[in-house]
Amino acid sequence: MLYRGLRVAARVAPRFSLYNANPALRQLPLQFQHVRTYADSIIKVPQMAESISEGTLKQWNKQVGDFVEQDEEIATIETDKIDVAVNAPEAGTIKEFLANEEDTVTVGQDLVRIETGGTPPAGGDKPAEPKESTPAPKEEAQPKKAEPKAAEPKAESKPAAPAAPQKTEAAPKQENKPGQASQAPATLGNREERRVKMNRMRLRIAERLKQSQNTAASLTTFNEVDMSALMDFRKKYKDEILSKTGVKLGFMSAFSRACVLAMRDIPAINASIDGPNGGDTIVYRDYVDISVAVATEKGLVTPVVRNVEGLDLVGIEKAIADMGKKARDGKLTIEDMAGGTFTISNGGVFGSLMGTPIINLPQTAVLGLHAIKERPVTVNGKVESRPMMYLALTYDHRLLDGREAVQFLVKVKEYIEDPAKMLL
């Protein structure tokens, strides 16, 4: 009866194919012929965001046959905004990949098949080590036998000179080949070209920047600011703040706070244009969400620090540092990137002396910071060397006139040159 039941189960369940394929199992008594099997599960492309429906399968982090734990990352999908991790919903063994790297995958598409259940193999790689180590002594023994033969005097008396001309005769023939003739001038200068497909994030950045140039009536105004007072302020309090809060006080928090205060007098800086056909409505905001430009390996991203108007210098600095770390580690989410009412871009960290930033639509303006350089300036009728920085404000002339833009930049300059004003 047990044998008959086993035959029926093998006929109706494909999982007993292991029983038929393994002769060792058939030799056991029937009461011991029990094969433990698990069900298969299909992992699909997860939901990424409301505005994202597809992405590029950038890489598999596992291989077929690997055991994965629950919530362990299996693959990475690259979108035009962020990288999305595909995690295993439950533990199991990878049986088949249903997509290849660099394929375009959509939300809900079958991605990988795993056999759920089981336990990770313990010491599965250990048996392979002695196999690799055993041939090593044999290979070492062979050259030892060849050494005494080469040292015999009879071998030295044999004419070995003809061997060299044979090699030199073959060399000119190889040089005359067209394939190798192209290698000779390569030593003088490399003129090869490489074509690398742009990643989705870079394509999206290019699209938005070109859209900004085609949509906004961009204009840039410049000013210079004396950084002496702010540098003295930072030097005086940075160690105390670091010891109490663990936050490294920088310049970004001061410029963010100065922009927030200047926006109270020039609210259009924090506004945007909305509506069809280029927009017919101005949206004014009582809150300030500052997008901070961060350079990553895949491109420039702008994570958002929200409600900056309610933060002090330490709180702003900590929020900016956290967002910068998440951007460099590739852990930004859609929520971190969404929104933003004003952008600050600090090209000075790379040594830029002056530049014109591009507006991050639908925002109205972007402030560009640059490198601090010692320059001679006139102070109270005397020429002194001061640490100076150029500021650049690119604004949408459809919403802002030159008067408001210049006044905003002048107010930022005043706050930075006298940080005590930010406390009044």
Side-chain angles (χ1 to χ4, degrees):
M1 183 63 67
L2 179 61
Y3 177 72
R4 179 183 177 185
L6 184 59
R7 291 182 60 187
V8 172
R11 185 169 61 252
V12 298
R15 65 178 180 268
F16 282 99
S17 58
L18 180 62
Y19 165 80
N20 297 324
N22 194 341
L25 292 177
R26 293 198 298 269
Q27 295 176 4
L28 294 175
L30 292 178
Q31 59 269 28
F32 296 107
Q33 294 181 4
H34 177 68
V35 180
R36 186 176 183 85
T37 58
Y38 304 93
D40 288 350
S41 176
I42 300 296
I43 300 178
K44 300 180 180 294
V45 177
Q47 292 286 341
M48 292 176 279
E50 295 181 0
S51 60
I52 300 178
S53 60
E54 66 177 20
T56 300
L57 180 58
K58 201 58 182 176
Q59 67 176 4
W60 290 107
N61 301 328
K62 296 291 182 179
Q63 298 179 356
V64 175
D66 289 352
F67 183 87
V68 293
E69 299 286 352
Q70 185 177 6
D71 294 331
E72 187 174 358
E73 185 173 335
I74 297 177
T76 303
I77 297 177
E78 182 184 75
T79 71
D80 55 3
K81 295 182 180 179
I82 60 172
D83 290 346
V84 179
V86 180
N87 300 325
E90 49 188 330
T93 302
I94 297 177
K95 290 300 181 183
E96 182 184 3
F97 290 148
L98 305 179
N100 299 320
E101 292 184 353
E102 301 300 331
D103 285 354
T104 299
V105 294
T106 58
V107 174
Q109 177 181 334
D110 294 345
L111 198 60
V112 58
R113 180 170 64 87
I114 67 171
E115 184 182 64
T116 59
T119 56
D125 298 337
K126 292 182 180 179
E129 296 179 356
K131 293 181 181 179
E132 296 178 357
S133 59
T134 48
K138 293 181 181 179
E139 294 177 359
E140 294 177 357
Q142 291 177 358
K144 289 181 180 178
K145 294 179 181 179
E147 288 176 0
K149 291 182 180 180
E152 291 179 359
K154 295 181 180 180
E156 296 177 357
S157 61
K158 292 181 180 181
Q166 290 178 359
K167 295 181 181 179
T168 55
E169 290 176 2
K173 294 180 180 179
Q174 295 177 357
E175 292 176 358
N176 294 332
K177 294 181 180 180
Q180 293 187 358
S182 60
Q183 296 179 0
T187 57
L188 302 178
N190 185 7
R191 294 180 56 82
E192 295 182 358
E193 295 180 353
R194 294 183 299 111
R195 292 181 177 270
V196 180
K197 187 177 180 181
M198 296 172 67
N199 59 58
R200 284 179 172 267
M201 184 178 293
R202 175 61 64 184
L203 286 171
R204 181 60 174 167
I205 292 172
E207 177 185 346
R208 286 186 58 82
L209 292 179
K210 191 57 183 175
Q211 178 188 2
S212 176
Q213 288 184 332
N214 295 338
T215 303
S218 298
L219 185 64
T220 304
T221 181
F222 298 92
N223 211 321
E224 61 179 359
V225 55
D226 186 350
M227 297 291 291
S228 301
L230 184 59
M231 293 176 70
D232 293 340
F233 174 84
R234 177 177 178 270
K235 182 178 180 181
K236 182 177 181 180
Y237 296 108
K238 66 175 183 177
D239 293 336
E240 181 181 353
I241 293 176
L242 180 62
S243 62
K244 289 184 177 180
T245 64
V247 176
K248 294 182 179 180
L249 188 63
F251 298 137
M252 286 291 291
S253 56
F255 278 99
S256 299
R257 184 61 182 168
C259 289
V260 169
L261 296 177
M263 287 175 186
R264 295 179 180 179
D265 296 326
I266 316 293
I269 289 285
N270 196 44
S272 64
I273 299 177
D274 192 17
N277 300 325
D280 57 1
T281 305
I282 301 176
V283 181
Y284 292 96
R285 301 177 178 88
D286 296 330
Y287 59 90
V288 181
D289 293 344
I290 294 183
S291 302
V292 182
V294 180
T296 66
E297 295 181 356
K298 294 185 178 181
L300 187 70
V301 295
T302 53
V304 180
V305 179
R306 305 188 188 280
N307 293 110
V308 181
E309 78 284 352
L311 299 176
D312 56 12
L313 294 180
V314 177
I316 297 173
E317 198 70 50
K318 184 178 185 305
I320 292 176
D322 293 342
M323 285 296 178
K325 185 177 185 304
K326 291 179 68 176
R328 289 185 291 270
D329 295 342
K331 297 181 179 180
L332 288 174
T333 63
I334 294 295
E335 292 74 16
D336 295 332
M337 305 279 289
T341 62
F342 182 78
T343 298
I344 297 180
S345 176
N346 187 5
V349 296
F350 305 108
S352 172
L353 182 63
M354 184 180 295
T356 57
I358 299 178
I359 299 172
N360 182 15
L361 289 182
Q363 299 174 16
T364 299
V366 51
L367 178 67
L369 310 182
H370 299 92
I372 302 173
K373 299 292 183 180
E374 290 281 344
R375 293 200 303 273
V377 294
T378 303
V379 180
N380 297 325
K382 297 180 180 179
V383 177
E384 298 182 7
S385 177
R386 294 292 184 94
M388 305 298 293
M389 174 194 289
Y390 286 118
L391 301 180
L393 179 73
T394 301
Y395 58 97
D396 191 346
H397 215 329
R398 298 178 302 167
L399 182 57
L400 279 171
D401 294 331
R403 179 175 63 90
E404 287 86 358
V406 172
Q407 287 178 349
F408 173 83
L409 199 56
V410 169
K411 288 183 179 296
V412 172
K413 167 186 169 69
E414 292 174 353
Y415 285 123
I416 295 300
E417 292 184 342
D418 190 1
K421 283 186 177 181
M422 291 189 285
L423 303 177
L424 298 178

